Amino acid sequence: MIDTEVKEIKRDVSGLFAGEAIERWKIILLLRGKELSKPTRTSIQVRDKHIEDAKGGYINHHCEPNAYIEILPDFVGADPGSQNATTLVAIVIAKKDIDKGEEITFDYETTETELMEPFRCDCHGRWISGNKKMAGRIRKLKELDMIDLKLWKKDEVG
């Protein structure tokens, strides 16, 4: 993975910074960690789950970010405890070239349906509270996933 480091920006505010130059489209980070049903101040929403990732929690919001979160289709067999379970995979990807020492940011409203602590952003002064329209899309994706899983199990079992 790409070298990153957490640095203090100002009192009680830290961010994730590039420890090396990062080319556009490079994977910066694989989001892993405890999956929660509700958002926290530092979680990142992946469909209907909220991931508490050790470094991902330090990625701050920007309306014109240099990175984005890509949610990949569920992978069957990625969970060593159950080869039949599906696992969501989310990665942080560089949206443009990022210089060494530059803060890594993403637009919270591209993943979050509701923020635990809404705020007015420093970049444009917009109120950032989440994207309510995504909630319906997430429900629909979950319904489709269940249909796909049932069809897959039917094909596998016979």
Side-chain angles (χ1 to χ4, degrees), residues 65-154:
N66 56 17
Y68 68 99
I69 309 295
E70 180 74 31
I71 301 169
L72 303 177
D74 293 338
F75 285 88
V76 176
D79 180 355
S82 171
Q83 291 301 300
N84 293 328
T86 59
T87 304
L88 283 176
V89 175
I91 52 179
V92 180
I93 299 175
K95 192 173 183 175
K96 52 189 169 186
D97 290 343
I98 302 172
D99 294 328
K100 180 179 180 177
E102 185 178 345
E103 184 177 8
I104 297 166
T105 59
F106 83 97
D107 182 350
Y108 288 3
E109 292 194 322
T110 60
T111 61
E112 308 299 313
T113 56
E114 184 177 358
L115 291 176
M116 182 181 174
E117 294 180 14
F119 63 94
R120 196 162 296 285
C121 72
D122 292 337
C123 38
H124 292 99
R126 285 190 321 117
W127 187 248
I128 307 298
S129 60
N131 185 337
K132 305 287 186 250
K133 292 178 185 176
M134 279 189 355
R137 286 186 228 143
I138 289 169
R139 272 193 304 279
K140 188 67 178 168
L141 281 171
K142 190 167 184 154
E143 289 169 14
L144 291 173
D145 285 349
M146 291 309 298
I147 291 168
D148 287 346
L149 185 59
K150 286 176 186 173
L151 291 173
W152 176 81
K153 284 184 177 178
K154 182 179 175 186

